[in-house]
Amino acid sequence: MARIVMKFGGTSMAGTERIRRVANIVRRQQAAGHEVAVVVSAMAGETDRLVGFCREANPLYDPAEYDVVVAAGEQVTSGLLALTLQALGCKARSWLGWQLPIHTDNAHAKARIGHIEADTVIASMQAGEIAVIPGFQGIGDDGRVATLGRGGSDTSAVAVAAAVKADRCDIYTDVDGVYTTDPRIVAKARKLKAVTYEEMLELASVGSKVLQTRSVSLAMKEGVRVQVLSSFIDDDAPPADSLPGTMIVGEDELEGSEMESQLITGIAADKNEAKVILTRVPDKPGAVAHIFGPLAAASINVDMIIQNVGREKGETDVTFTVPGADLVRTQALLEEHKETIGFNRVITDSKVAKISVVGVGMRSHAGVASTMFSALADRGINIQAITTSEIKVSVLIDEDETELAVRVLHTAYDLDAKDEAA
């Protein structure tokens, strides 16, 4: 018998028929003798609809009130799944974020989980009851509902798995695992049997939509074994334990595999980026701190940063990227602090994309970046910015060239040369 946390995404919960299919998958796990908790997302498209209402009401919305609105989607699906499980003869109940409770900080719309009081839920699971928990939400120190940011249900699932000391966290999505790149862009993309936490963290941070970045970071910190697999399986399919999904685990679990000889694990693309250029910034100590201090205080994540060579007048241009959803707030904050920063004007471009190659093999192989730059140059793709880490190289390009770049790089690194899933 194992203790398993199962998470189902929005496409898996899109309508009563799909919720019934999810309920049957959950029921089979409990029937196999496992203790089960389920974390659910809102129905596909529902969060976008609710976010749209917030933006129509006030483009510079209060994040606390935004959370009140968008948290409703997961509350609906958790209640519906509990009702459906009950109809199938299972003991089940929903637990809202404040009922566990899931304690977070007060960074509304981007809250971080502090701790979860799981004793009551564990007792419920041990008594044979299926706990259905809405993802994406918790309760802040101020006593108000707080959401974890888009894709936050993955983080909720991993956090719950850590809190209840689960043997595994199964993330059910509309794909059957982690691929070398998006199969919709590259038909020959390969499904990977296993990926390290570190690789998955980099892939998630640079655009892979399989898992949210924070969920992977939390899984690595807490040592939660995560399995990615599809909920779109036949009713008579084998249990999750034997399905060929992708395991996200520590490097020690993959020792003895071909991981070290594998140069690149995957290629990710992210169109949800925006480029910001500040012109004629004073070229002096502290100038950059005046730019990024207010953004950090507003919980706006800055990625690529380029400071040009100083001009003769003691001025320079500073270029950086932020999430596309934060562009309006970024512009407003910069204008608010214009006098302190001392820049001339703000130039923005939301029609950009970040392309990244990721792999632990980079640690022991040279020439990864050179291969990337040469392959893109051969196809006339211009690089606007570059950032690197120990196992990642990312470039910023024109959004219209995204799919071409992914295909070119997938070929350049021979990622379709062998069948990883065989």
Side-chain angles (χ1 to χ4, degrees):
M1 182 184 74
R3 181 173 293 166
I4 301 171
V5 172
M6 308 169 72
K7 182 266 177 180
F8 293 89
T11 52
S12 304
M13 304 297 293
T16 54
E17 191 58 41
R18 289 189 178 180
I19 291 175
R20 189 173 295 109
R21 177 180 289 270
V22 165
N24 278 307
I25 295 173
V26 174
R27 180 179 64 170
R28 286 203 300 273
Q29 285 285 19
Q30 188 188 50
H34 302 310
E35 295 176 0
V36 180
V38 188
V39 175
V40 296
S41 297
M43 293 185 185
E46 181 63 11
T47 302
D48 286 337
R49 188 177 74 92
L50 296 174
V51 169
F53 288 152
C54 292
R55 288 175 175 164
E56 288 176 13
N58 183 352
L60 297 175
Y61 49 74
D62 174 4
E65 297 301 338
Y66 166 94
D67 278 352
V68 173
V69 176
V70 299
E74 281 74 13
Q75 179 170 324
V76 170
T77 50
S78 60
L80 289 175
L81 180 57
L83 287 169
T84 306
L85 285 166
Q86 291 170 1
L88 294 175
C90 300
K91 290 176 59 180
R93 67 152 287 184
S94 61
W95 297 79
L96 300 185
W98 60 269
Q99 292 174 317
L100 283 174
I102 299 174
H103 294 284
T104 74
D105 59 22
N106 291 334
H108 287 282
K110 294 182 180 180
R112 291 188 173 275
I113 295 174
H115 68 282
I116 298 176
E117 297 177 31
D119 290 347
T120 306
V121 170
I122 291 174
S124 173
M125 294 168 64
Q126 291 174 332
E129 186 174 75
I130 298 172
V132 184
I133 302 165
F136 182 57
Q137 66 174 251
I139 181 171
D141 295 333
D142 57 3
R144 303 191 66 180
V145 63
T147 65
L148 310 182
R150 298 306 297 266
S153 293
D154 290 341
T155 300
S156 297
V158 173
V160 169
V164 303
K165 297 178 172 58
D167 296 282
R168 191 180 69 240
C169 180
D170 290 339
I171 306 290
Y172 288 81
T173 71
D174 55 354
V175 297
D176 59 353
V178 179
Y179 282 74
T180 51
T181 195
D182 190 338
R184 294 169 297 183
I185 298 176
V186 180
K188 293 183 179 180
R190 295 179 290 111
K191 184 170 70 175
L192 301 163
K193 292 179 182 178
V195 178
T196 68
Y197 291 127
E198 194 173 2
E199 287 175 320
M200 194 65 235
L201 184 61
E202 292 284 18
L203 286 169
S205 70
V206 294
S208 175
K209 299 300 188 292
V210 178
L211 292 174
Q212 188 204 41
T213 306
R214 285 165 54 192
S215 70
V216 183
S217 178
L218 183 60
M220 181 166 62
K221 174 178 176 288
E222 299 292 339
V224 176
R225 300 176 77 249
V226 177
Q227 180 178 211
V228 177
L229 61 166
S230 175
S231 60
F232 296 95
I233 55 177
D234 297 331
D235 291 336
D236 58 352
D241 308 69
S242 57
L243 287 174
T246 298
M247 291 298 303
I248 294 112
V249 295
E251 283 190 38
D252 55 340
E253 192 167 330
L254 297 182
E255 287 182 359
S257 69
E258 296 181 358
M259 181 180 63
E260 188 174 355
S261 63
Q262 177 178 291
L263 179 60
I264 297 300
T265 297
I267 298 171
D270 187 3
K271 294 182 179 181
N272 298 312
E273 292 280 314
K275 182 172 68 173
V276 180
I277 302 174
L278 294 184
T279 66
R280 299 177 61 182
V281 176
D283 188 14
K284 63 181 182 180
V288 174
H290 290 315
I291 296 172
F292 299 113
L295 301 183
S299 299
I300 294 175
N301 292 322
V302 176
D303 186 13
M304 299 178 170
I305 302 174
I306 300 173
Q307 181 170 334
N308 296 338
V309 177
R311 304 176 184 178
E312 292 182 2
K313 296 180 179 180
E315 298 173 338
T316 185
D317 293 343
V318 177
T319 302
F320 58 92
T321 61
V322 297
D326 288 330
L327 181 57
V328 173
R329 285 202 303 144
T330 298
Q331 288 178 275
L333 281 168
L334 292 172
E335 292 293 349
E336 181 182 336
H337 293 83
K338 183 174 182 177
E339 184 175 343
T340 302
I341 299 170
F343 64 88
N344 181 42
R345 65 185 180 122
V346 181
I347 303 172
T348 64
D349 183 1
S350 60
K351 301 298 183 180
V352 294
K354 179 168 61 179
I355 309 296
S356 305
V357 295
V358 176
V360 293
M362 290 187 195
R363 292 179 178 146
S364 54
H365 292 78
V368 174
S370 177
T371 298
M372 183 182 199
F373 302 154
S374 296
L376 295 177
D378 289 344
R379 298 305 295 267
I381 299 173
N382 184 50
I383 296 174
Q384 302 178 28
I386 303 168
T387 187
T388 65
S389 74
E390 189 179 18
I391 65 169
K392 176 198 72 179
V393 180
S394 296
V395 297
L396 196 70
I397 65 172
D398 188 277
E399 182 183 70
D400 293 339
E401 298 176 316
T402 302
E403 294 189 4
L404 174 60
V406 170
R407 294 190 186 100
V408 165
L409 294 174
H410 201 269
T411 299
Y413 291 109
D414 294 323
L415 290 180
D416 56 350
K418 59 183 179 180
D419 185 3
E420 182 78 17

